[in-house]
Amino acid sequence: MPTFEYVALGPDGRKANGVLSADSARAARRELRFRQLTPLTLTEANEEKSTRKLRESGLSSSDRVLITRQLAMMIGSGAPVEEALASVSTQSEKPAVRRLLASIRDKVAEGHKFSEALNESGKAFSPLYRSVVSAGEVSGNLGQVLERLAIYLEKSLKTKRKVQTALIYPAVLAFVALAVITLLMIFVVPRIVTQFESFEQDLP
């Protein structure tokens, strides 16, 4: 199903932009009018390199935390999964992330489980992430499970950043030491060798 990016006017006169999936541009405009939005621009979004990269290499840790936190809040408050995905996709500032979430929403709209739709997203979501979501669906507490998953991801991200920060100082020291040794070998040692040769002495 094609994906369309739109810019539309809401009932309050404010501009809204986002992504939706429809069989055609006419169907997309009909869907926007059903949402009480007046379309200003509507363009078909092709599968770009950035979106394929997300499927192949995965989302960034910060994007994954943000998406999980937003989904946990909406699903925990009683919103259907399809509606929550649609809302989070429109709020994302990155087009590739919007398209990825829109494709997951389409799978859910077709009748697939949320965890099954995530399986179609390539490596964007890890096997652990998909397994936890599946467990939440089976238990009927998807909102609570996503909340705990968001907390876990946030703690993991903080730990990762702390480790990276802790490694900066040793890395700088190693670089400086390497630079000093290189300068010594290029400029200082040859002069010392020359001095020893002038006295006809062997270099220790």
Side-chain angles (χ1 to χ4, degrees):
M1 183 179 293
T3 302
F4 296 89
E5 293 183 351
Y6 67 84
V7 177
L9 285 176
D12 55 359
R14 295 183 179 180
K15 283 188 178 181
N17 59 73
V19 180
L20 62 82
S21 298
D23 294 328
S24 63
R26 179 179 296 178
R29 291 190 180 90
R30 190 184 308 120
E31 174 67 19
L32 288 174
R33 286 192 290 270
F34 177 76
R35 298 181 186 180
Q36 297 183 344
L37 296 173
T38 303
L40 298 177
T41 62
L42 185 69
T43 56
E44 185 173 355
N46 297 321
E47 190 76 6
E48 297 180 353
K49 291 182 180 180
S50 55
T51 309
R52 290 198 298 270
K53 185 178 179 180
L54 284 182
R55 295 180 183 276
E56 294 171 359
S57 60
L59 286 166
S60 66
S61 298
S62 56
D63 285 338
R64 192 178 297 110
V65 169
L66 180 60
I67 290 170
T68 307
R69 174 63 67 188
Q70 291 174 326
L71 288 174
M73 290 177 60
M74 296 197 65
I75 295 175
S77 63
V81 175
E82 181 183 350
E83 181 181 329
L85 285 168
S87 177
V88 174
S89 66
T90 55
Q91 293 175 18
S92 176
E93 297 178 355
K94 299 180 179 180
V97 175
R98 289 203 300 266
R99 295 189 190 100
L100 178 66
L101 293 176
S103 66
I104 295 174
R105 173 192 170 276
D106 290 342
K107 290 291 182 181
V108 174
E110 291 171 3
H112 294 82
K113 293 181 179 179
F114 183 28
S115 56
E116 294 174 347
L118 290 178
N119 290 334
E120 302 295 327
S121 63
K123 296 181 180 179
F125 296 92
S126 66
L128 174 62
Y129 191 104
R130 298 195 294 265
S131 298
V132 172
V133 170
S134 178
E137 288 178 320
V138 172
S139 65
N141 296 314
L142 182 58
Q144 295 179 8
V145 170
L146 285 174
E147 179 68 24
R148 293 175 183 174
L149 182 57
I151 294 173
Y152 165 76
L153 293 175
E154 287 172 350
K155 289 182 178 179
S156 299
L157 181 58
K158 289 180 181 178
T159 302
K160 181 180 178 181
R161 288 175 175 173
K162 286 181 179 179
V163 171
Q164 290 175 341
T165 302
L167 290 175
I168 290 176
Y169 182 67
V172 171
L173 286 181
F175 175 78
V176 171
L178 182 61
V180 169
I181 293 173
T182 302
L183 291 174
L184 286 173
M185 297 302 295
I186 294 176
F187 298 105
V188 179
V189 173
R191 293 184 180 182
I192 295 175
V193 171
T194 303
Q195 291 294 327
F196 271 85
E197 288 178 349
S198 65
F199 292 116
E200 298 182 352
Q201 296 292 327
D202 295 330
L203 185 68

Coordinates of all heavy atoms in Angstrom, one line a residue, residues 127-194:
P127 N 15.4 -8.3 18.5 CA 14.5 -9.5 18.9 C 14.0 -9.4 20.3 O 12.9 -9.9 20.6 CB 15.5 -10.7 18.7 CG 16.5 -10.2 17.7 CD 16.6 -8.7 17.9
L128 N 14.9 -8.9 21.3 CA 14.4 -8.7 22.7 C 13.2 -7.8 22.7 O 12.3 -8.1 23.4 CB 15.6 -8.2 23.5 CG 15.2 -7.8 24.9 CD1 14.8 -9.1 25.7 CD2 16.4 -7.2 25.6
Y129 N 13.3 -6.7 22.0 CA 12.2 -5.7 22.0 C 10.9 -6.4 21.5 O 9.9 -6.2 22.1 CB 12.6 -4.6 21.1 CG 11.7 -3.4 21.2 CD1 12.1 -2.2 21.9 CD2 10.4 -3.3 20.6 CE1 11.3 -1.1 22.0 CE2 9.6 -2.2 20.7 CZ 10.0 -1.1 21.3 OH 9.2 0.0 21.4
R130 N 11.0 -7.1 20.4 CA 9.8 -7.8 19.8 C 9.3 -8.8 20.8 O 8.1 -9.0 20.9 CB 10.2 -8.4 18.5 CG 10.6 -7.3 17.5 CD 10.6 -7.9 16.0 NE 11.6 -8.9 15.8 CZ 12.8 -8.7 15.4 NH1 13.2 -7.5 15.0 NH2 13.6 -9.7 15.2
S131 N 10.2 -9.6 21.5 CA 9.7 -10.6 22.4 C 9.0 -10.0 23.6 O 8.0 -10.5 24.0 CB 10.9 -11.4 22.9 OG 11.6 -12.1 21.8
V132 N 9.5 -8.9 24.1 CA 8.8 -8.2 25.2 C 7.5 -7.7 24.8 O 6.5 -7.8 25.6 CB 9.7 -7.1 25.7 CG1 9.0 -6.2 26.8 CG2 11.0 -7.6 26.3
V133 N 7.4 -7.1 23.6 CA 6.1 -6.6 23.1 C 5.1 -7.8 23.0 O 3.9 -7.7 23.3 CB 6.2 -5.9 21.8 CG1 4.9 -5.6 21.1 CG2 7.0 -4.6 22.0
S134 N 5.6 -8.9 22.4 CA 4.7 -10.1 22.3 C 4.2 -10.6 23.6 O 3.0 -10.9 23.8 CB 5.5 -11.2 21.6 OG 4.7 -12.4 21.4
A135 N 5.1 -10.6 24.6 CA 4.7 -11.0 26.0 C 3.6 -10.1 26.5 O 2.7 -10.5 27.2 CB 5.9 -11.1 26.9
G136 N 3.8 -8.8 26.3 CA 2.8 -7.8 26.7 C 1.4 -8.0 26.1 O 0.4 -7.9 26.7
E137 N 1.4 -8.4 24.8 CA 0.2 -8.7 24.1 C -0.5 -9.9 24.7 O -1.7 -9.9 24.9 CB 0.4 -8.8 22.6 CG 0.8 -7.5 21.9 CD 1.1 -7.8 20.4 OE1 1.7 -8.8 20.1 OE2 0.6 -6.9 19.6
V138 N 0.3 -10.9 25.0 CA -0.3 -12.2 25.5 C -0.9 -11.9 26.9 O -2.0 -12.5 27.2 CB 0.8 -13.3 25.5 CG1 0.3 -14.5 26.2 CG2 1.2 -13.6 24.1
S139 N -0.2 -11.1 27.7 CA -0.6 -10.9 29.1 C -1.8 -9.9 29.1 O -2.5 -9.8 30.2 CB 0.5 -10.4 29.9 OG 1.0 -9.2 29.5
G140 N -2.0 -9.1 28.1 CA -3.0 -8.1 28.1 C -2.6 -6.8 28.8 O -3.5 -6.0 29.0
N141 N -1.3 -6.7 29.1 CA -0.8 -5.5 29.7 C 0.2 -4.8 28.9 O 1.3 -4.5 29.4 CB -0.3 -5.8 31.1 CG -1.3 -6.4 32.1 OD1 -2.4 -5.8 32.2 ND2 -1.0 -7.5 32.7
L142 N -0.1 -4.6 27.6 CA 0.9 -4.0 26.7 C 1.4 -2.6 27.2 O 2.6 -2.3 27.1 CB 0.3 -3.9 25.3 CG 1.2 -3.4 24.2 CD1 2.5 -4.3 24.1 CD2 0.5 -3.4 22.8
G143 N 0.5 -1.8 27.6 CA 0.8 -0.5 28.1 C 1.9 -0.5 29.2 O 2.9 0.2 29.2
Q144 N 1.6 -1.4 30.2 CA 2.5 -1.5 31.4 C 3.9 -2.1 30.9 O 4.9 -1.6 31.4 CB 1.9 -2.3 32.5 CG 0.7 -1.7 33.1 CD 0.1 -2.6 34.2 OE1 0.7 -3.7 34.5 NE2 -1.1 -2.3 34.6
V145 N 3.8 -3.0 30.0 CA 5.0 -3.7 29.6 C 5.9 -2.7 28.8 O 7.1 -2.6 28.9 CB 4.7 -4.9 28.7 CG1 6.0 -5.4 28.0 CG2 4.1 -6.0 29.6
L146 N 5.2 -1.9 27.9 CA 6.0 -0.8 27.2 C 6.6 0.2 28.1 O 7.7 0.7 27.9 CB 5.0 -0.2 26.2 CG 4.7 -1.0 24.9 CD1 3.7 -0.3 24.1 CD2 5.9 -1.3 24.1
E147 N 5.9 0.5 29.2 CA 6.4 1.5 30.2 C 7.7 0.9 30.8 O 8.7 1.7 30.9 CB 5.3 1.7 31.2 CG 5.8 2.7 32.3 CD 5.9 4.1 31.8 OE1 5.3 4.5 30.8 OE2 6.7 4.9 32.5
R148 N 7.6 -0.3 31.2 CA 8.8 -0.9 31.8 C 10.0 -1.0 30.8 O 11.1 -0.9 31.1 CB 8.5 -2.3 32.4 CG 7.5 -2.3 33.6 CD 7.1 -3.6 34.0 NE 6.1 -3.6 35.1 CZ 5.5 -4.7 35.6 NH1 5.8 -5.9 35.1 NH2 4.6 -4.5 36.6
L149 N 9.6 -1.3 29.5 CA 10.6 -1.4 28.5 C 11.2 -0.1 28.2 O 12.4 0.0 28.0 CB 9.9 -2.0 27.2 CG 10.8 -2.2 26.0 CD1 12.0 -3.1 26.3 CD2 10.0 -2.7 24.8
A150 N 10.4 1.0 28.3 CA 11.0 2.3 28.1 C 11.9 2.7 29.2 O 13.0 3.3 28.9 CB 9.8 3.3 28.0
I151 N 11.6 2.3 30.4 CA 12.5 2.6 31.6 C 13.8 1.8 31.4 O 14.9 2.3 31.6 CB 11.8 2.2 32.9 CG1 10.6 3.1 33.2 CG2 12.8 2.2 34.0 CD1 9.8 2.6 34.4
Y152 N 13.7 0.5 31.0 CA 14.9 -0.3 30.7 C 15.8 0.3 29.6 O 17.0 0.4 29.8 CB 14.5 -1.7 30.3 CG 15.6 -2.5 29.8 CD1 16.6 -3.0 30.6 CD2 15.7 -2.7 28.4 CE1 17.7 -3.8 30.0 CE2 16.7 -3.5 27.8 CZ 17.7 -4.0 28.6 OH 18.7 -4.7 28.1
L153 N 15.2 0.8 28.5 CA 15.9 1.4 27.4 C 16.6 2.7 27.9 O 17.7 3.0 27.4 CB 15.0 1.6 26.2 CG 14.4 0.3 25.5 CD1 13.4 0.7 24.5 CD2 15.6 -0.5 24.9
E154 N 15.9 3.5 28.7 CA 16.4 4.7 29.1 C 17.7 4.5 30.0 O 18.7 5.2 29.9 CB 15.4 5.5 29.9 CG 14.3 6.1 29.0 CD 13.2 6.7 29.8 OE1 13.1 6.5 31.1 OE2 12.3 7.4 29.2
K155 N 17.6 3.5 30.9 CA 18.7 3.2 31.8 C 19.9 2.6 30.9 O 21.0 3.0 31.2 CB 18.3 2.1 32.8 CG 17.4 2.6 33.9 CD 17.0 1.5 34.9 CE 16.1 2.1 36.0 NZ 15.8 1.0 37.0
S156 N 19.6 1.8 29.9 CA 20.6 1.3 29.1 C 21.3 2.4 28.3 O 22.6 2.4 28.2 CB 20.1 0.3 28.1 OG 19.5 -0.8 28.8
L157 N 20.5 3.4 27.8 CA 21.1 4.5 27.1 C 22.0 5.4 28.0 O 23.1 5.8 27.6 CB 20.0 5.4 26.5 CG 20.4 6.6 25.7 CD1 21.3 6.2 24.5 CD2 19.1 7.3 25.2
K158 N 21.5 5.6 29.3 CA 22.3 6.4 30.2 C 23.6 5.7 30.5 O 24.7 6.3 30.6 CB 21.5 6.6 31.5 CG 20.4 7.6 31.4 CD 19.7 7.8 32.7 CE 18.5 8.8 32.5 NZ 17.7 8.9 33.8
T159 N 23.6 4.4 30.7 CA 24.8 3.6 31.0 C 25.8 3.7 29.8 O 27.0 3.9 30.0 CB 24.5 2.1 31.3 OG1 23.6 2.1 32.4 CG2 25.7 1.3 31.6
K160 N 25.2 3.6 28.6 CA 26.0 3.6 27.4 C 26.7 5.0 27.3 O 27.9 5.1 26.9 CB 25.2 3.4 26.1 CG 25.9 3.4 24.8 CD 25.0 3.2 23.7 CE 25.7 3.2 22.3 NZ 24.8 3.0 21.2
R161 N 26.0 6.1 27.6 CA 26.6 7.4 27.5 C 27.6 7.6 28.5 O 28.7 8.3 28.3 CB 25.5 8.4 27.6 CG 24.6 8.5 26.4 CD 23.4 9.5 26.5 NE 22.7 9.6 25.3 CZ 21.5 10.3 25.2 NH1 21.0 10.9 26.3 NH2 20.9 10.4 24.1
K162 N 27.4 7.0 29.7 CA 28.4 7.2 30.8 C 29.7 6.4 30.4 O 30.8 7.0 30.7 CB 27.9 6.6 32.1 CG 26.8 7.4 32.8 CD 26.4 6.8 34.1 CE 25.3 7.7 34.8 NZ 24.9 7.0 36.1
V163 N 29.6 5.3 29.8 CA 30.8 4.5 29.4 C 31.5 5.3 28.3 O 32.7 5.4 28.3 CB 30.4 3.1 28.9 CG1 31.5 2.4 28.2 CG2 29.8 2.3 30.0
Q164 N 30.8 5.9 27.4 CA 31.4 6.6 26.3 C 32.1 7.9 26.9 O 33.2 8.2 26.4 CB 30.4 7.1 25.3 CG 29.8 6.0 24.4 CD 28.7 6.4 23.5 OE1 28.1 7.5 23.7 NE2 28.4 5.6 22.5
T165 N 31.5 8.5 27.9 CA 32.1 9.7 28.5 C 33.4 9.3 29.2 O 34.4 10.0 29.2 CB 31.1 10.4 29.4 OG1 30.0 10.7 28.7 CG2 31.8 11.6 30.1
A166 N 33.3 8.1 29.9 CA 34.5 7.7 30.7 C 35.6 7.3 29.8 O 36.8 7.3 30.2 CB 34.1 6.4 31.5
L167 N 35.3 6.9 28.6 CA 36.4 6.5 27.6 C 37.1 7.6 26.9 O 38.1 7.5 26.3 CB 35.8 5.5 26.6 CG 35.5 4.1 27.1 CD1 34.8 3.3 26.0 CD2 36.7 3.4 27.6
I168 N 36.5 8.8 27.0 CA 37.0 10.0 26.3 C 38.4 10.4 26.8 O 39.3 10.6 26.1 CB 36.1 11.2 26.4 CG1 34.8 10.9 25.6 CG2 36.7 12.5 25.9 CD1 33.7 12.0 25.7
Y169 N 38.5 10.4 28.2 CA 39.8 10.8 28.8 C 40.9 9.9 28.4 O 42.0 10.3 28.0 CB 39.6 10.9 30.3 CG 40.9 11.4 31.0 CD1 41.4 12.7 30.8 CD2 41.6 10.6 31.9 CE1 42.5 13.1 31.4 CE2 42.7 11.0 32.5 CZ 43.2 12.3 32.3 OH 44.3 12.7 33.0
P170 N 40.8 8.5 28.6 CA 41.9 7.6 28.2 C 42.2 7.7 26.7 O 43.3 7.6 26.3 CB 41.3 6.2 28.5 CG 40.3 6.5 29.6 CD 39.7 7.8 29.3
A171 N 41.2 7.9 25.9 CA 41.4 8.0 24.4 C 42.2 9.3 24.1 O 43.1 9.2 23.3 CB 40.0 8.1 23.7
V172 N 41.9 10.4 24.8 CA 42.7 11.6 24.6 C 44.2 11.4 25.0 O 45.1 11.8 24.3 CB 42.1 12.8 25.3 CG1 43.0 14.0 25.3 CG2 40.7 13.1 24.7
L173 N 44.3 10.8 26.2 CA 45.7 10.5 26.7 C 46.5 9.6 25.7 O 47.7 9.9 25.4 CB 45.6 9.8 28.0 CG 45.3 10.7 29.2 CD1 45.3 9.9 30.5 CD2 46.2 11.9 29.4
A174 N 45.8 8.6 25.2 CA 46.5 7.7 24.2 C 46.9 8.4 23.0 O 48.0 8.2 22.4 CB 45.6 6.5 23.9
F175 N 46.0 9.3 22.5 CA 46.3 10.1 21.3 C 47.5 11.0 21.5 O 48.4 11.1 20.7 CB 45.0 10.9 20.9 CG 45.3 11.8 19.7 CD1 45.3 11.3 18.4 CD2 45.5 13.2 19.9 CE1 45.5 12.1 17.3 CE2 45.7 14.0 18.8 CZ 45.7 13.5 17.5
V176 N 47.5 11.7 22.7 CA 48.6 12.6 23.0 C 49.9 11.9 23.1 O 50.9 12.3 22.6 CB 48.3 13.4 24.3 CG1 49.5 14.2 24.7 CG2 47.1 14.4 24.0
A177 N 49.9 10.7 23.8 CA 51.1 9.9 23.9 C 51.6 9.5 22.6 O 52.8 9.5 22.3 CB 50.8 8.7 24.8
L178 N 50.7 9.0 21.7 CA 51.1 8.6 20.4 C 51.7 9.8 19.6 O 52.7 9.6 18.9 CB 49.9 8.0 19.6 CG 50.2 7.4 18.2 CD1 51.2 6.3 18.3 CD2 48.9 7.0 17.6
A179 N 51.1 10.9 19.7 CA 51.6 12.1 19.0 C 53.0 12.5 19.5 O 53.9 12.8 18.7 CB 50.6 13.3 19.2
V180 N 53.2 12.4 20.8 CA 54.5 12.8 21.4 C 55.6 11.8 20.9 O 56.7 12.2 20.6 CB 54.4 12.8 22.9 CG1 55.8 12.9 23.6 CG2 53.6 14.0 23.4
I181 N 55.2 10.5 21.0 CA 56.2 9.5 20.5 C 56.6 9.7 19.1 O 57.7 9.6 18.7 CB 55.7 8.1 20.8 CG1 55.5 7.8 22.3 CG2 56.5 7.0 20.1 CD1 54.8 6.5 22.6
T182 N 55.6 10.0 18.3 CA 55.8 10.2 16.8 C 56.7 11.4 16.6 O 57.7 11.3 15.8 CB 54.5 10.4 16.1 OG1 53.6 9.3 16.3 CG2 54.7 10.6 14.6
L183 N 56.5 12.5 17.3 CA 57.3 13.7 17.2 C 58.7 13.4 17.6 O 59.7 13.9 17.0 CB 56.7 14.8 18.0 CG 55.4 15.4 17.4 CD1 54.9 16.5 18.4 CD2 55.6 16.1 16.1
L184 N 58.9 12.6 18.7 CA 60.2 12.3 19.2 C 61.0 11.5 18.1 O 62.2 11.7 17.9 CB 60.1 11.5 20.5 CG 59.8 12.3 21.8 CD1 59.5 11.3 22.9 CD2 60.9 13.3 22.1
M185 N 60.3 10.5 17.6 CA 61.0 9.6 16.6 C 61.3 10.4 15.3 O 62.3 10.0 14.6 CB 60.1 8.4 16.3 CG 59.8 7.5 17.5 SD 61.3 6.8 18.2 CE 61.9 5.8 16.8
I186 N 60.6 11.4 15.0 CA 60.8 12.1 13.7 C 61.8 13.2 13.8 O 62.7 13.4 13.0 CB 59.4 12.7 13.1 CG1 58.5 11.5 12.7 CG2 59.7 13.6 11.9 CD1 57.1 12.0 12.3
F187 N 61.7 14.0 14.9 CA 62.5 15.2 15.1 C 63.7 15.0 16.1 O 64.8 15.5 15.9 CB 61.6 16.4 15.5 CG 60.6 16.7 14.4 CD1 59.3 16.4 14.6 CD2 60.9 17.3 13.3 CE1 58.3 16.7 13.7 CE2 60.0 17.7 12.3 CZ 58.7 17.3 12.5
V188 N 63.5 14.4 17.2 CA 64.5 14.4 18.3 C 65.5 13.3 18.1 O 66.7 13.5 18.2 CB 63.8 14.3 19.7 CG1 64.8 14.2 20.8 CG2 62.8 15.5 19.9
V189 N 65.0 12.1 17.9 CA 65.9 10.9 17.9 C 66.9 11.0 16.7 O 68.1 10.8 16.9 CB 65.1 9.6 17.7 CG1 66.0 8.4 17.5 CG2 64.3 9.4 19.0
P190 N 66.5 11.5 15.5 CA 67.5 11.6 14.5 C 68.7 12.6 14.8 O 69.8 12.4 14.5 CB 66.7 12.2 13.3 CG 65.3 11.7 13.5 CD 65.2 11.7 15.0
R191 N 68.4 13.7 15.6 CA 69.4 14.6 16.0 C 70.3 14.0 17.0 O 71.6 14.2 17.0 CB 68.8 15.9 16.6 CG 68.0 16.7 15.6 CD 67.4 18.0 16.2 NE 66.7 18.7 15.2 CZ 66.2 19.9 15.4 NH1 66.3 20.5 16.7 NH2 65.5 20.6 14.5
I192 N 69.8 13.2 17.9 CA 70.6 12.5 18.9 C 71.5 11.5 18.2 O 72.7 11.4 18.5 CB 69.7 11.7 19.9 CG1 68.9 12.8 20.8 CG2 70.6 10.9 20.8 CD1 68.0 12.1 21.7
V193 N 71.0 10.8 17.2 CA 71.8 9.9 16.4 C 73.0 10.6 15.7 O 74.1 10.1 15.7 CB 71.0 9.1 15.4 CG1 71.8 8.3 14.5 CG2 70.0 8.2 16.1
T194 N 72.6 11.7 15.2 CA 73.7 12.5 14.5 C 74.8 13.0 15.5 O 76.0 12.9 15.1 CB 73.0 13.8 13.9 OG1 72.0 13.4 12.9 CG2 74.1 14.6 13.1

